[in-house]
């Protein structure tokens, strides 16, 4: 569950000691692996029940995954750049993704949610003429804009460091550049 991953992130961060500063690297590795689950954030955004969607989006692992470049990566780039996957696995994922996206709904606007190379799924959601999907994408950008460094760091009882601010702003800038 996502809640278990939140606990895992905190544990990875706390494993960092004065001699071993790998805690943040461990955290980012976990976050990037979660963000590499194709269409994870898009799927969360498409959860019909708004309360369930808000609850999931409030979890630390999801907030951090939202700032990972993998969360918006076009599926063609993702399949080329995902470490540890064989060519055969990538091809199977591509076939499965194409099937699942084309059958996502009976709504004619669902075709506008499929991604083309070099364009993220979020850009397609923003461009669609189907208003409910467009609104979800705009709400997502608003959510990203309203997140603070406190949302980005894991341990809410700790004051953010200058490195936390730098990392947060760099991640935020990188994500927003994807939709420009």
């Amino acid at each position: 569950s996502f809640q278990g991953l939140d606990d895992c992130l905190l544990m990875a961060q706390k494993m960092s000691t004065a001699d071993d500063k790998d805690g943040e690297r461990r955290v980012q590795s976990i976050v990037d692996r979660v963000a590499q689950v194709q269409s994870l954030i898009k799927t969360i955004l498409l959860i019909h029940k708004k309360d369930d969607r808000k609850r999931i989006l409030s979890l630390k692992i999801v907030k951090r995954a939202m700032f990972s470049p993998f969360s918006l990566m076009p599926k063609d780039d993702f399949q080329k750049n995902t470490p540890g996957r064989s060519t055969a696995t990538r091809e199977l994922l591509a076939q499965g993704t194409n099937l699942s996206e084309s059958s996502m709904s009976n709504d004619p606007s669902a075709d506008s949610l499929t991604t083309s190379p070099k364009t993220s799924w979020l850009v397609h959601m923003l461009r669609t003429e189907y208003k409910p999907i467009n609104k979800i994408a705009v709400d997502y950008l608003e959510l990203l804009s309203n997140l603070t460094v406190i949302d980005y760091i894991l341990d809410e009882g700790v004051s953010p460091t200058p490195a936390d601010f730098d990392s947060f702003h760099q991640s935020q800038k990188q994500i927003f550049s994807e939709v420009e």
Side-chain angles (χ1 to χ4, degrees):
S1 85
F2 286 120
Q3 186 61 49
L5 286 172
D6 274 2
D7 296 339
C8 183
L9 288 179
L10 284 171
M11 188 182 328
Q13 188 177 44
K14 290 182 191 254
M15 288 174 65
S16 180
T17 64
D19 298 332
D20 175 22
K21 298 286 186 189
D22 288 337
E24 185 57 33
R25 191 166 26 138
R26 284 187 199 103
V27 166
Q28 195 58 48
S29 178
I30 294 167
V31 167
D32 285 342
R33 291 293 179 186
V34 170
Q36 287 175 18
V37 174
Q38 270 192 312
S39 301
L40 175 67
I41 299 296
K42 180 171 92 172
T43 301
I44 292 169
L45 292 176
L46 294 174
I47 292 173
H48 183 69
K49 289 185 177 181
K50 194 172 184 176
D51 289 342
D52 291 342
R53 183 176 48 222
K54 283 178 125 178
R55 182 178 44 80
I56 293 170
L57 287 170
S58 72
L59 295 169
K60 288 285 185 183
I61 184 69
V62 176
K63 286 179 182 179
R64 283 294 292 266
M66 289 170 18
F67 282 107
S68 171
F70 293 109
S71 69
L72 293 178
M73 189 177 284
K75 67 182 175 189
D76 292 344
D77 284 354
F78 176 82
Q79 291 162 1
K80 286 183 241 172
N81 294 317
T82 303
R85 290 214 171 133
S86 69
T87 302
T89 304
R90 284 187 218 117
E91 288 172 7
L92 285 171
L93 282 172
Q95 291 170 2
T97 301
N98 291 339
L99 289 172
S100 66
E101 286 180 348
S102 64
S103 62
M104 187 165 61
S105 83
N106 294 329
D107 180 2
S109 68
D111 289 339
S112 68
L113 295 178
T114 60
T115 58
S116 61
K118 306 298 181 207
T119 304
S120 95
W121 55 266
L122 183 58
V123 171
H124 286 280
M125 287 178 75
L126 290 165
R127 288 180 182 164
T128 187
E129 292 180 20
Y130 186 59
K131 295 300 178 199
I133 296 297
N134 185 272
K135 182 179 177 353
I136 289 170
V138 170
D139 289 348
Y140 179 66
L141 287 175
E142 186 177 331
L143 172 65
L144 281 172
S145 297
N146 291 332
L147 291 177
T148 67
V149 70
I150 299 297
D151 296 310
Y152 186 78
I153 63 173
L154 299 173
D155 193 348
E156 294 171 352
V158 175
S159 295
T161 65
D164 292 329
F165 280 102
D166 289 344
S167 182
F168 169 73
H169 289 298
Q170 181 180 14
S171 297
Q172 192 176 42
K173 181 180 177 182
Q174 186 175 15
I175 290 300
F176 283 119
S177 72
E178 289 290 324
V179 295
E180 289 180 343

